[in-house]
Amino acid sequence: MDPIGTELMDAATGGVSKSLRVKLAKSVLRLIAGGPGYKYLDELRHNENTIEGRKKIDSIVAEEVARQAIADPDYMERAKARFLGDMFAKQENVEAVARKAQEAILELTDDDILSDDEEGPTQDWMNSFTREAEMASSDDLRERLGKVLAGETRKPGSYSRATVRAVAEMEAETLNYFREFLKTRVDDLILKGAKWEEGAQFVKGSILLSDGLISGSSFTNLTVDLGAAGQGHIADNSFGVIILGKSKTKLQVPVFILTRIGKEIANLLEVKVDPKKIGTVTADWNKTDITKIFGGKPKQTVNGFEVPESHVYFVGTGTE
């Protein structure tokens, strides 16, 4: 077995389920071997007409290459050197991505292993992924793609081919802007303040919009109904914002909405919510009908969302 294959199987013997090791091994071998595997080859064997046609074309091409080699041997040597150099660089890149995928897989916990299905990523997905992995010359991009391969191996369908392309093509600066915005994420929303419509935040938001990570505009709002009790919330499993105010008020809260690509890349980046950032945003909301805003990790009860003792006050006196 080649060195990377040996490293993979040695390192993957502990801490990871057998089914996930099998899926990763298949994905990595398909990546570094540069081919789709025995199933695809078996299909080709049954398509004699296509293969015969290709043989004829290959024969014609071979004759032309031989003629050019005789006519200009130096030209052909340079072409061969360039071809081999390009192939070597691509192979080096895909093997580096495979190692990053191995590292990402080994960091998974039992809760992250969602399926015992050993099929792994589809061939179409692997074809798209391999093209991007071949061009991954920087360590940062290799790490990003390695995490994508690990995630897709863990649960096929986690990352669309459009997301793979976006991950490969996105500038590091854009990802840093996105990380900043994700600090005010609740569910599939990015909470924002009125001041985000000007200055540096407006520029950053425009870049994220143009790259397809978020959607929305200055007129995009989430309606929060305070109901008869004068209480509303915006929450997911990790963080919640609770708003107290005038009963039966329908508040308009400014937000951006994560796109599919945005959600998938956000899951890849794993940015934690920053209560201070959310506090800055909520302080910028129209508080005409708001008496108090606070947040924390919510817990579901029969009466709705409540906030535990570790909650943070954003707006109001901080007293009950």
Side-chain angles (χ1 to χ4, degrees):
M1 183 178 289
D2 57 88
I4 189 172
T6 302
E7 289 176 13
L8 172 68
M9 298 312 294
D10 288 346
T13 54
V16 179
S17 70
K18 179 181 178 181
S19 64
L20 194 56
R21 276 184 284 151
V22 170
K23 286 199 293 183
L24 179 62
K26 285 182 177 180
S27 296
V28 168
L29 288 174
R30 287 156 71 190
L31 178 63
I32 65 176
Y38 71 92
K39 288 185 178 180
Y40 180 69
L41 295 177
D42 191 54
E43 289 178 5
L44 284 181
R45 292 190 188 99
H46 289 85
N47 195 348
E48 296 178 0
N49 292 334
T50 299
I51 291 183
E52 286 302 317
R54 287 179 179 175
K55 282 182 179 179
K56 292 179 181 179
I57 294 173
D58 289 343
S59 176
I60 295 171
V61 171
E63 289 178 7
E64 178 61 19
V65 169
R67 188 182 67 79
Q68 290 290 342
I70 294 172
D72 191 345
D74 290 339
Y75 174 85
M76 291 306 296
E77 283 300 314
R78 291 195 299 272
K80 182 173 69 175
R82 180 177 180 181
F83 173 77
L84 292 176
D86 184 55
M87 293 301 292
F88 177 83
K90 289 180 178 180
Q91 189 67 18
E92 184 179 42
N93 291 341
V94 297
E95 291 190 10
V97 170
R99 289 190 179 93
K100 294 296 184 181
Q102 168 194 329
E103 293 170 6
I105 281 287
L106 293 177
E107 293 175 358
L108 294 178
T109 64
D110 290 340
D111 292 339
D112 294 319
I113 317 272
L114 301 183
S115 172
D116 289 331
D117 175 22
E118 296 185 357
E119 287 303 312
T122 66
Q123 187 56 51
D124 284 342
W125 191 93
M126 283 300 301
N127 291 342
S128 296
F129 182 85
T130 301
R131 285 193 291 271
E132 304 300 342
E134 287 177 343
M135 305 303 293
S137 57
S138 71
D139 192 63
D140 175 64
L141 180 53
R142 289 168 176 176
E143 184 170 356
R144 276 186 261 157
L145 289 175
K147 288 183 177 180
V148 169
L149 179 58
E152 187 69 14
T153 299
R154 176 185 68 94
K155 183 183 177 184
S158 295
Y159 297 100
S160 66
R161 284 182 285 173
T163 296
V164 172
R165 290 192 297 273
V167 168
E169 296 172 2
M170 199 160 292
E171 299 289 342
E173 186 179 44
T174 301
L175 286 174
N176 287 334
Y177 293 160
F178 194 40
R179 287 188 180 95
E180 180 184 337
F181 275 44
L182 289 172
K183 291 179 180 179
T184 63
R185 176 188 181 182
V186 179
D187 199 15
D188 292 335
L189 305 171
I190 303 293
L191 306 184
K192 63 176 183 175
K195 294 178 181 178
W196 284 30
E197 298 303 322
E198 57 188 32
Q201 290 299 95
F202 176 78
V203 173
K204 294 173 185 178
S206 298
I207 292 172
L208 299 182
L209 283 164
S210 66
D211 280 7
L213 296 174
I214 58 176
S215 64
S217 68
S218 57
F219 304 105
T220 303
N221 295 296
L222 172 70
T223 300
V224 180
D225 189 350
L226 300 187
Q231 175 179 323
H233 63 263
I234 311 167
D236 57 24
N237 292 330
S238 61
F239 198 87
V241 174
I242 284 72
I243 306 170
L244 304 181
K246 184 178 178 181
S247 64
K248 299 182 180 179
T249 297
K250 295 184 185 295
L251 298 176
Q252 299 299 310
V253 175
V255 297
F256 284 123
I257 303 169
L258 290 175
T259 63
R260 178 182 177 181
I261 291 176
K263 285 186 282 187
E264 292 177 358
I265 294 181
N267 293 337
L268 183 70
L269 298 177
E270 298 179 335
V271 177
K272 292 184 178 180
V273 172
D274 185 340
K276 290 183 179 180
K277 294 284 186 181
I278 290 188
T280 300
V281 165
T282 57
D284 195 30
W285 290 351
N286 185 338
K287 295 180 284 294
T288 302
D289 296 310
I290 297 175
T291 58
K292 190 181 296 183
I293 303 175
F294 52 99
K297 183 175 175 60
K299 57 182 180 181
Q300 184 78 48
T301 70
V302 292
N303 296 319
F305 278 88
E306 296 181 358
V307 177
E309 294 179 359
S310 61
H311 65 261
V312 178
Y313 282 97
F314 298 138
V315 175
T317 63
T319 59
E320 299 294 338

